[in-house]
Amino acid sequence: MNGGPEPMDYIVDQNKLIVETIATHTEYLKTTTSNKDVRIKEANTKQDYVRYTVQDKAWFFDLKIEKCMNASAAAKQLGIHIRTAQRWVSQ
């Protein structure tokens, strides 16, 4: 016992309905959906690795220096990830 409230399997509300505790959205869909058209897709949490060319880096610094843009604005305009641009500036 850790001093917190004890987990409960069932909670009875004022209308005398039994409500089950469901831990995940996936469990909820399994218990409520009898329709077979529902598909659960796993989210891809890792982004693909992007290699920028020397020309990309040159265009970035051209915007940053010649147009007096900050790293974030120049990166957004060129489609370069903001953290990548900030890392280039700090190197």
Side-chain angles (χ1 to χ4, degrees):
M1 196 176 228
N2 60 4
E6 290 293 318
M8 298 169 53
D9 291 332
Y10 293 97
I11 301 170
V12 180
D13 69 3
Q14 295 172 350
N15 296 326
K16 305 295 183 197
L17 298 174
I18 297 176
V19 180
E20 289 184 54
T21 303
I22 299 176
T24 65
H25 186 254
T26 305
E27 282 183 34
Y28 168 76
L29 289 176
K30 285 179 183 175
T31 59
T32 60
T33 309
S34 61
N35 187 353
K36 299 298 179 190
D37 291 337
V38 175
R39 291 178 178 85
I40 300 171
K41 182 180 177 186
E42 293 293 324
N44 184 8
T45 57
K46 186 169 179 162
Q47 296 292 326
D48 292 331
Y49 186 77
V50 178
R51 284 193 164 271
Y52 296 103
T53 64
V54 174
Q55 187 65 43
D56 293 331
K57 201 170 185 177
W59 284 333
F60 166 75
F61 279 105
D62 184 52
L63 283 178
K64 178 156 178 24
I65 296 166
E66 299 295 325
K67 306 288 184 188
C68 297
M69 298 177 91
N70 63 26
S72 176
K76 284 180 186 175
Q77 188 168 339
L78 295 171
I80 297 171
H81 194 277
I82 295 168
R83 288 295 299 133
T84 301
Q86 291 170 339
R87 189 173 55 251
W88 288 348
V89 170
S90 68
Q91 287 177 345

